[in-house]
Amino acid sequence: MQDMEKDDRIIGLSKQMWDEYLPHISVDSVVFGFNEDELKVLIVRMNIGKQWLLPGGYVRKQEDIHDAAQRVLKERTGVEKVYLQEFGVFRSINRSEGYFGQYDDDLWNKQRFISIGFYALVDYRKVDLQIDQLSDSCEWHSIGAMPELAMDHRKIYDTALTVLQQQLSYKPIGLNLLPERFTISDLQKLYEAILGKPLNRGNFYRRIMRFGILVKHEDLRTGGAHKAPNLYSFDPVKYEESLKGIDW
Amino acid sequence: MQDMEKDDRIIGLSKQMWDEYLPHISVDSVVFGFNEDELKVLIVRMNIGKQWLLPGGYVRKQEDIHDAAQRVLKERTGVEKVYLQEFGVFRSINRSEGYFGQYDDDLWNKQRFISIGFYALVDYRKVDLQIDQLSDSCEWHSIGAMPELAMDHRKIYDTALTVLQQQLSYKPIGLNLLPERFTISDLQKLYEAILGKPLNRGNFYRRIMRFGILVKHEDLRTGGAHKAPNLYSFDPVKYEESLKGIDW
């Protein structure tokens, strides 16, 4: 990492962090939203260096790590009780020590941190993005147009996307990314956005129906040029049931 | 937790732990082996209190957490480079603070620890079990006959078994639990042991063949009373390929 200007606010916060937070553990979240047929990810630009990072933070001494991840996301998005899934532990030695290399060794942030990775699925329309005192921007970026991410955050993001793609193979995804009622075509577009490729409509329909998780509604979506398509929603009980895997 | 005798060796090691290890992070492993048609798990009995625990330990200041888990298992089993998979983070507040409640607050082990859970799949025949200075027994127990586990180790074990069962739905398991060559019946017995129920032979055969991961060999298993069954092995390339999930 090149020599970089120091952010006095990070130095100023260090003592308080040592007093109030648990050293060596951090949380980082890959927040996915779906809008205009594109999968988007929430990223934050730091004041100093103008580098992009995933939204992350530290854990208070008596705080649960999932609560810490929720708190960080609430500060960023205004949304509470986001759907969060732990998906991996990011642990390379020097991941934080190196990133804060220009600071003194006793800086809180320069210690060795092992980061618990979460992915979050949020309703894009409900999010109200916020900057904080260390960042000057917080934005959605389409997964096809992500800027460079600092530290090991590209690896965290890549892993989250791969996990999400793999999970599509055996469990449904969509409950938290789509509005309550949607068409099969909306759901297919979401799957296509996650997988990054077009899917055959007939195969998609058959596979989704095999999960047995959709409820078909009487009302149709109106306003389009074509025949109005049926609206569906997820059956929450069957959705939960299907997450358990197949019955041999 | 009831008042319990203190183990002087734990107190004696505390200063060295503070000097050499990373506080607040630990590793615990659920080691699965397969023998005589039963799935078995490796557990350790502590000297003081005679309580059973999963094999676990701490992380050196400059040691990778996967290397730490491997080191702990090598000390217990004599086996190096075990197949290890991270499967969850165990994080309840008071999980270690409470367990070491009878000791002084500055004891290393009494700090808040967040534990990274791994499951390991090992070849039962290659394992040479070892006790250490804090334990008086290290044994395989069949999953149908597990004693009570202390701390949150029952939860760690239950989660590992559930993850293993779920993974059978969409990816093959067996490469590290069976000898190199096995019959379809051996593989079915392994699946039955993991799932804890009998499976239909024809359905099992069709599902396993659909993965496309087996190589059939010319030689047969001999010595049985019935017609000698075919021997199979895993095709390592296709096995790896199948772990990526289905192709939509």
Side-chain angles (χ1 to χ4, degrees):
Chain A
M1 165 139 193
Q2 75 273 34
D3 216 31
M4 194 187 281
E5 199 187 337
K6 293 179 193 173
D7 187 337
D8 289 338
R9 282 156 295 201
I10 288 180
I11 299 170
L13 282 168
S14 182
K15 184 176 180 312
Q16 186 190 345
M17 300 305 290
W18 278 112
D19 287 343
E20 297 177 11
Y21 288 77
L22 204 65
H24 307 302
I25 307 267
S26 57
V27 292
D28 285 300
S29 295
V30 183
V31 183
F32 291 107
F34 184 60
N35 190 47
E36 294 182 343
D37 301 347
E38 286 190 328
L39 190 67
K40 292 175 189 277
V41 172
L42 193 64
I43 52 176
V44 174
R45 191 172 61 190
M46 307 311 286
N47 288 327
I48 301 289
K50 304 298 175 199
Q51 291 182 308
W52 292 97
L53 286 171
L54 298 168
Y58 301 107
V59 181
R60 292 187 204 278
K61 285 189 174 167
Q62 290 297 320
E63 184 181 39
D64 179 71
I65 56 174
H66 285 220
D67 293 343
Q70 291 281 5
R71 172 176 52 77
V72 169
L73 292 187
K74 188 181 173 218
E75 287 162 10
R76 288 301 183 180
T77 65
V79 183
E80 290 189 74
K81 294 182 185 163
V82 161
Y83 176 82
L84 267 184
Q85 285 282 312
E86 223 179 84
F87 71 90
V89 178
F90 296 86
R91 51 183 231 271
S92 28
I93 290 167
N94 215 34
R95 57 183 294 287
S96 23
E97 306 93 304
Y99 183 70
F100 292 97
Q102 73 271 34
Y103 294 91
D104 290 345
D105 284 350
D106 63 353
L107 184 84
W108 166 266
N109 312 60
K110 198 180 171 179
Q111 308 312 302
R112 179 178 174 194
F113 278 91
I114 288 164
S115 196
I116 314 298
F118 294 86
Y119 73 78
L121 306 179
V122 303
D123 187 339
Y124 183 90
R125 299 161 309 163
K126 290 189 183 158
V127 165
D128 177 24
L129 298 179
Q130 308 282 338
I131 61 169
D132 70 4
Q133 54 178 329
L134 301 177
S135 58
D136 70 358
S137 184
C138 179
E139 295 174 11
W140 288 107
H141 279 246
S142 294
I143 61 166
M146 290 281 284
E148 195 180 329
L149 300 179
M151 290 182 72
D152 58 352
H153 285 202
R154 178 78 202 191
K155 184 180 176 186
I156 299 177
Y157 157 73
D158 282 342
T159 307
L161 184 59
T162 301
V163 166
L164 197 62
Q165 289 169 341
Q166 288 183 332
Q167 292 186 344
L168 286 185
S169 302
Y170 60 92
K171 72 182 197 185
I173 301 279
L175 189 55
N176 303 280
L177 288 167
L178 289 172
E180 198 199 326
R181 293 192 176 194
F182 48 84
T183 66
I184 296 290
S185 168
D186 293 336
L187 189 59
Q188 181 173 339
K189 282 175 186 156
L190 170 63
Y191 273 55
E192 289 176 333
I194 293 173
L195 293 166
K197 62 181 181 188
L199 301 177
N200 176 282
R201 193 175 155 192
N203 288 346
F204 179 77
Y205 184 82
R206 276 187 295 278
R207 279 182 191 268
I208 284 297
M209 287 303 165
R210 207 185 296 152
F211 280 128
I213 50 172
L214 296 180
V215 181
K216 189 173 178 176
H217 295 282
E218 288 302 311
D219 46 331
L220 308 174
R221 174 173 294 170
T222 53
H226 303 285
K227 178 179 172 296
N230 279 103
L231 286 170
Y232 292 81
S233 61
F234 292 109
D235 179 325
V237 175
K238 289 181 181 162
Y239 192 97
E240 280 303 311
E241 195 61 31
S242 73
L243 299 182
K244 293 182 189 158
I246 62 166
D247 187 7
W248 281 81
Chain B
M1 167 137 190
Q2 74 273 34
D3 216 32
M4 196 187 280
E5 199 187 338
K6 293 179 192 171
D7 187 337
D8 289 338
R9 282 156 294 202
I10 288 181
I11 298 170
L13 281 168
S14 182
K15 184 176 179 314
Q16 186 190 347
M17 299 307 289
W18 278 110
D19 287 343
E20 297 177 12
Y21 288 77
L22 204 65
H24 306 302
I25 308 266
S26 58
V27 293
D28 286 300
S29 295
V30 183
V31 183
F32 292 107
F34 183 60
N35 190 45
E36 293 181 346
D37 301 346
E38 286 191 329
L39 190 67
K40 293 176 187 278
V41 172
L42 193 63
I43 52 175
V44 174
R45 191 173 61 189
M46 307 311 286
N47 287 327
I48 303 289
K50 304 296 175 199
Q51 291 182 309
W52 292 96
L53 287 171
L54 299 168
Y58 301 106
V59 182
R60 291 187 205 279
K61 284 191 174 165
Q62 291 297 320
E63 183 181 41
D64 179 71
I65 56 174
H66 285 220
D67 293 344
Q70 291 281 5
R71 172 176 51 77
V72 169
L73 292 188
K74 187 180 174 219
E75 287 163 10
R76 289 300 182 183
T77 64
V79 183
E80 290 188 75
K81 293 182 187 163
V82 161
Y83 176 82
L84 266 185
Q85 285 282 311
E86 223 180 85
F87 71 90
V89 177
F90 296 86
R91 51 183 231 270
S92 29
I93 290 167
N94 213 34
R95 59 182 293 288
S96 21
E97 306 94 303
Y99 184 70
F100 293 96
Q102 73 271 34
Y103 295 90
D104 291 343
D105 285 350
D106 63 353
L107 183 85
W108 166 265
N109 312 59
K110 198 181 172 179
Q111 308 311 303
R112 179 178 174 195
F113 277 92
I114 288 164
S115 196
I116 314 299
F118 295 85
Y119 72 77
L121 305 180
V122 304
D123 186 338
Y124 184 89
R125 300 161 309 162
K126 291 187 182 158
V127 165
D128 177 24
L129 298 179
Q130 307 284 336
I131 61 168
D132 70 4
Q133 53 179 326
L134 301 177
S135 58
D136 69 358
S137 185
C138 178
E139 295 175 10
W140 290 107
H141 279 245
S142 295
I143 62 167
M146 290 281 284
E148 194 179 331
L149 301 178
M151 289 183 73
D152 58 352
H153 285 203
R154 179 77 202 194
K155 184 179 177 188
I156 298 176
Y157 157 73
D158 282 341
T159 306
L161 184 59
T162 301
V163 166
L164 197 62
Q165 290 170 339
Q166 287 182 334
Q167 291 185 344
L168 286 185
S169 301
Y170 60 91
K171 72 181 197 186
I173 301 278
L175 188 54
N176 303 282
L177 288 168
L178 289 173
E180 199 200 327
R181 295 194 176 193
F182 48 85
T183 66
I184 296 290
S185 167
D186 293 335
L187 189 59
Q188 180 172 342
K189 281 175 187 156
L190 171 63
Y191 273 56
E192 289 176 335
I194 294 173
L195 292 166
K197 61 181 182 188
L199 302 177
N200 176 283
R201 193 175 155 191
N203 289 346
F204 179 77
Y205 184 82
R206 277 186 296 277
R207 280 181 190 268
I208 283 296
M209 287 305 167
R210 208 185 297 152
F211 280 129
I213 50 171
L214 296 180
V215 182
K216 189 174 178 176
H217 296 282
E218 288 303 310
D219 45 331
L220 308 174
R221 174 172 296 170
T222 52
H226 302 284
K227 178 179 172 297
N230 279 103
L231 286 169
Y232 292 81
S233 61
F234 292 109
D235 179 327
V237 175
K238 289 182 181 161
Y239 192 96
E240 279 304 311
E241 196 62 31
S242 74
L243 298 182
K244 293 182 188 159
I246 62 166
D247 188 6
W248 281 81

